[in-house]
Amino acid sequence: MTGGTSADVGPVLTIELPADPGRLAATRERLRGWLHARGVSEWDVETVLIATGEACANAIEHGYRFAPEGITTLRAELRGDRLEIEVRDQGGWRPADGDESGDRGRGRLIMARVMDEATIVGTPEGTCVRLVKRLTGDVSGPAGTGSSEDQL
């Protein structure tokens, strides 16, 4: 990681996720373990997993619908009691069609409701979903200080 000091950069987890829905469960479990290792409360862990799972599933389904070899990058960073997550794909951007009345299209709503911040920026080069959660529980777990970088 570049551009930060140990005072402003917390523990970081980066996962490169192939555009295969079968890999979503393993990705959620990796994120769950990372959050637990940092002392994040079970309530916050479950909430974060819901939103992050939606973002990753959308990247696979929509961003890479014509490119199954695509890679989605999930990056989670813990800064004190604030968890910041980015899910990025380099797939094709498709603006929302405005029809969320059916059984589909609720991912954005779910992410916005369970997180403190949920923004989606789409360009022809891909999509970035940024999720922020202010954590309610103790985040002073065994690796809760300093800077670390984990890769999957």
Side-chain angles (χ1 to χ4, degrees):
M1 255 178 61
T2 62
T5 66
S6 61
D8 64 2
V9 176
V12 173
L13 171 70
T14 303
I15 300 173
E16 301 291 323
L17 172 65
D20 173 5
R23 298 285 304 270
L24 288 170
T27 299
R28 282 190 303 270
E29 289 309 307
R30 175 81 171 144
L31 179 57
R32 178 191 308 275
W34 185 82
L35 292 168
H36 280 160
R38 275 132 194 95
V40 176
S41 74
E42 190 62 29
W43 174 260
D44 287 337
V45 168
E46 292 304 319
T47 302
V48 167
L49 290 176
I50 289 167
T52 305
E54 283 292 328
C56 290
N58 285 345
I60 291 170
E61 181 179 355
H62 301 296
Y64 293 123
R65 63 191 173 281
F66 301 117
E69 70 283 356
I71 299 291
T72 296
T73 302
L74 182 153
R75 183 181 187 280
E77 182 176 348
L78 190 58
R79 292 176 177 241
D81 67 348
R82 180 180 169 99
L83 177 65
E84 299 177 9
I85 296 176
E86 285 188 356
V87 176
R88 293 182 176 269
D89 69 58
Q90 295 178 350
W93 169 251
R94 181 181 66 175
D97 59 13
D99 179 21
E100 296 192 9
S101 60
D103 288 336
R104 303 190 38 81
R106 289 186 170 65
R108 290 176 184 223
L109 178 63
I110 290 168
M111 288 184 279
R113 292 263 170 100
V114 302
M115 300 296 281
D116 294 304
E117 297 175 34
T119 57
I120 302 172
V121 177
T123 68
E125 293 77 39
T127 303
C128 177
V129 176
R130 185 170 177 277
L131 305 168
V132 175
K133 181 75 174 163
R134 286 176 202 82
L135 303 173
T136 60
D138 177 23
V139 294
S140 61
T145 60
S147 176
S148 66
E149 185 87 20
D150 295 320
Q151 289 277 340
L152 176 67

